Amino acid sequence: MFNLKSEERCGHLVTEEIKKLWAAQLDILKEIQRICQKHDIKYYAIEGTLLGAIRHKGYIPWDDDVDIGMYYTDYNRFCEIVSSELPEYYALQSYETQDGFNIGYARIRDSRTTSCTHAEYELFLDDEKYNFGIFVDIFPIYDAPETTFQKRRQQLNGAFSNFLKRGYTETIRRRKGIVAATGAKQKIIFGLCYYSWKLFGRFTSYKKVAHKRHKAMCMYSNSSRIGLTGFYGYKDKFIWDKADFAETVELPFEDITIACPKEYDKILRNRYGDYNVFIKGGSLHTFEVLDPETPYSEKLKSYRKKI
């Protein structure tokens, strides 16, 4: 049974609210694991979740999310079948299922809860169809091209798509009167993104752009290297030998176990260096509204009255 009481871990106070957030994420993860086992889909703990499993046998005490990865063929299959497998209070959120969702990975969200990040609060608070439930992130892992030409081609594809993504987001921000750019350089870059999207947006939708980008990222196969190339280009710390993911091991993660690449030591050293040295950092998510016990449809009503 997962302990919901606040406690100190590694000199950091984990509050009862964060414990409830973790518990909701673990319930989502259990459902993902069930579906993956049923359909023979392989997944892996990655990033801070992998580090937490190895170093803490659970969450990094100052972390607030779960990140898992799937090789893109499994990721595609998972996204195709998951909605028909999920309980009604869970929902798949991706650019294909949620208008406005403009990131290149998927989330499973719990509609019985509220987890509204700062960015979501700014952009989508007034959208009653947007799901603000607590989530688990699912990243597609792509083949990393090996020739210089292929690397540059993939990098350019990703850079252009990110450019249009920024323009799409900037369009929403400006419509709401939100100023994201402060410095002169930022204003120029964001302005170029904005006007580019105003042009391209006449002929396409963000959903089509994101789908085209995903297909382009999937075009390489049989590479000896894989990674999170869709988000971090070809940075070495996000690229791994495919052989390192060939086998998985089930390791403790709080009150459950989680699938980790068997060669986790090599992967973590590539990513973090000496990963046993604690570097206490801030969360990747800044929650504007967090309530693990109240559905977002109810919790956000009072916030929407303010806008």
Side-chain angles (χ1 to χ4, degrees):
M1 180 68 69
F2 184 67
N3 177 15
L4 293 175
K5 293 182 179 180
S6 62
E7 63 174 308
E8 188 174 292
R9 295 188 181 187
C10 304
H12 177 82
L13 178 63
V14 183
T15 65
E16 185 175 333
E17 183 180 51
I18 293 298
K19 282 292 198 71
K20 290 177 180 178
L21 168 69
W22 287 359
Q25 291 171 343
L26 290 171
D27 284 342
I28 297 172
L29 182 58
K30 291 173 190 175
E31 191 64 24
I32 293 171
Q33 290 173 326
R34 179 190 68 79
I35 294 170
C36 287
Q37 183 176 17
K38 178 179 177 181
H39 293 276
D40 193 27
I41 292 174
K42 186 178 284 189
Y43 79 93
Y44 316 90
I46 60 171
E47 294 293 284
T49 301
L50 178 59
L51 177 58
I54 303 308
R55 198 173 67 186
H56 302 276
K57 294 181 169 52
Y59 284 90
I60 299 172
W62 40 90
D63 201 1
D64 64 4
D65 72 342
V66 172
D67 292 325
I68 63 173
M70 296 178 184
Y71 189 57
Y72 69 86
T73 52
D74 280 331
Y75 174 86
N76 291 340
R77 195 153 59 93
F78 180 84
C79 290
E80 288 175 359
I81 64 175
V82 66
S83 293
S84 62
E85 291 278 358
L86 289 170
E88 62 179 7
Y89 46 83
Y90 286 156
L92 170 69
Q93 190 178 56
S94 70
Y95 68 82
E96 291 188 315
T97 66
Q98 179 83 75
D99 288 340
F101 191 77
N102 62 348
I103 50 182
Y105 53 90
R107 285 175 172 165
I108 303 296
R109 302 194 82 143
D110 184 345
S111 302
R112 303 169 299 176
T113 64
T114 304
S115 171
C116 179
T117 66
H118 179 70
E120 290 175 324
Y121 187 89
E122 278 192 336
L123 296 174
F124 307 119
L125 181 62
D126 57 346
D127 184 353
E128 295 186 4
K129 294 182 179 180
Y130 193 93
N131 193 311
F132 291 95
I134 287 171
F135 57 85
V136 167
D137 287 330
I138 306 171
F139 289 82
I141 297 174
Y142 299 105
D143 278 278
E146 296 178 311
T147 69
T148 300
F149 174 78
Q150 290 175 333
K151 289 177 188 178
R152 295 291 178 264
R153 183 177 179 182
Q154 191 180 58
Q155 285 175 327
L156 286 171
N157 179 278
F160 183 65
S161 297
N162 285 333
F163 185 77
L164 293 182
K165 171 187 169 182
R166 167 56 68 183
Y168 172 78
T169 304
E170 191 68 8
T171 300
I172 299 175
R173 289 182 183 277
R174 295 193 181 197
R175 189 171 68 240
K176 295 175 180 292
I178 301 169
V179 179
T182 53
K185 185 177 179 180
Q186 272 194 328
K187 287 180 180 179
I188 293 172
I189 294 173
F190 286 14
L192 287 172
C193 294
Y194 169 70
Y195 288 110
S196 295
W197 181 253
K198 285 199 72 173
L199 174 62
F200 282 95
R202 295 179 179 180
F203 309 103
T204 187
S205 66
Y206 183 78
K207 185 181 293 187
K208 291 179 180 179
V209 170
H211 183 65
K212 186 175 181 180
R213 179 194 184 194
H214 178 65
K215 285 186 68 176
M217 289 293 173
C218 294
M219 70 183 294
Y220 302 102
S221 61
N222 301 319
S223 172
S224 64
R225 305 274 279 167
I226 58 175
L228 298 176
T229 54
F231 314 98
Y232 304 109
Y234 208 81
K235 295 182 180 179
D236 287 339
K237 64 182 179 180
F238 298 106
I239 306 294
W240 318 289
D241 289 333
K242 186 182 287 186
D244 295 339
F245 285 76
E247 297 182 58
T248 60
V249 289
E250 289 285 332
L251 296 176
F253 192 87
E254 301 298 339
D255 65 335
I256 64 173
T257 62
I258 192 169
C260 300
K262 189 175 181 180
E263 298 296 328
Y264 59 79
D265 180 72
K266 182 179 175 183
I267 293 164
L268 288 174
R269 289 191 183 280
N270 180 65
R271 175 69 174 89
Y272 300 104
D274 186 356
Y275 58 88
N276 288 307
V277 176
F278 286 20
I279 302 176
K280 185 176 177 179
S283 155
L284 290 178
H285 305 101
T286 304
F287 292 114
E288 196 75 28
V289 187
L290 177 62
D291 188 337
E293 299 179 296
T294 306
Y296 69 88
S297 57
E298 295 296 323
K299 182 71 177 182
L300 296 178
K301 282 182 178 179
S302 60
Y303 292 87
R304 289 184 174 124
K305 290 178 182 178
K306 299 175 185 177
I307 61 175

